[in-house]
């Protein structure tokens, strides 16, 4: 997994010297790959249950027609019905995504910079609340 992430970052960094379009496209690819990787890791960690939440989520992802379904699956995994089947080892990671953060924390900065980019392209954004959670970064893709 670390090799995969390193290769994506290398591709993005190398594309800076090519063209703005190539760099932008590679940033989109990196964001999509990161989203999918996170969703798959969290889904794989789910405990087996009688309602088969893991199967339900994977079934939806296999048939997904866009990144929006991946983001909705992450929302379900972190705060929806499937979240009760996360193992204890994943709870600290769940908290990283769901805790409301103030300015100065890395989660807040990530969402704030995404909002800034969206406003530059005149895309609609929520008003900037005083506290943001990292899930908001993933919600912006659908």
């Amino acid at each position: 997994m670390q090799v995969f992430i390193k290769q994506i970052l290398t591709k993005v960094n190398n594309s800076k010297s090519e063209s703005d379009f190539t760099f932008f496209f590679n940033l989109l690819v990196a964001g999509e790959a990161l989203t999918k990787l996170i969703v798959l890791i969290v889904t794989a960690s789910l405990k087996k249950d009688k309602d088969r939440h893991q199967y339900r989520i994977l079934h939806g992802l296999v048939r997904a027609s866009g990144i929006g379904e991946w983001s909705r699956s992450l929302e379900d995994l972190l705060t929806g019905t499937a979240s009760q089947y996360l193992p204890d080892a994943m709870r600290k990671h769940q908290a990283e995504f769901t805790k409301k953060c103030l300015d100065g924390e890395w989660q807040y900065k990530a969402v704030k910079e995404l909002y800034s980019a969206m406003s530059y392209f005149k895309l609609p954004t929520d008003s900037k609340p005083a506290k943001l959670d990292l899930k908001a970064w993933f919600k912006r893709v659908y």
Side-chain angles (χ1 to χ4, degrees):
M1 177 173 56
Q2 291 175 351
V3 173
F4 175 70
I5 293 171
K6 186 175 181 181
Q7 287 177 339
I8 288 175
L9 292 176
T10 301
K11 184 176 181 177
V12 169
N13 287 330
N14 290 342
S15 68
K16 285 181 185 178
S17 61
E18 293 179 27
S19 70
D20 289 342
F21 175 78
T22 305
F23 180 55
F24 178 72
F25 181 75
N26 284 325
L27 283 174
L28 290 176
V29 169
E32 182 175 345
L34 179 65
T35 299
K36 289 180 176 182
L37 185 62
I38 289 170
V39 171
L40 289 174
I41 289 169
V42 177
T43 303
S45 74
L46 284 178
K47 297 177 196 172
K48 303 293 182 208
D49 65 289
K50 65 178 181 149
D51 294 327
R52 300 175 62 198
H53 287 286
Q54 186 181 50
Y55 175 81
R56 176 181 55 81
I57 290 170
L58 290 173
H59 183 271
L61 293 176
V62 167
R63 287 154 182 75
S65 61
I67 193 72
E69 278 115 20
W70 289 79
S71 298
R72 284 187 283 280
S73 294
L74 183 63
E75 179 79 21
D76 185 24
L77 288 162
L78 296 174
T79 58
T81 56
S83 67
Q84 63 187 322
Y85 298 103
L86 287 173
D88 293 336
M90 285 299 289
R91 294 293 175 187
K92 65 180 178 180
H93 303 294
Q94 179 189 25
E96 290 287 320
F97 282 95
T98 58
K99 77 175 183 175
K100 298 287 186 183
C101 300
L102 296 170
D103 195 3
E105 297 181 73
W106 70 269
Q107 296 96 327
Y108 186 93
K109 183 178 178 185
V111 176
K112 183 179 169 186
E113 288 182 5
L114 179 65
Y115 279 11
S116 175
M118 290 175 68
S119 65
Y120 178 80
F121 289 109
K122 298 181 180 25
L123 297 171
T125 60
D126 300 338
S127 61
K128 295 180 186 174
K131 292 183 176 183
L132 291 170
D133 60 4
L134 188 58
K135 286 186 316 176
W137 192 90
F138 295 92
K139 287 180 190 176
R140 298 300 116 216
V141 296
Y142 63 88

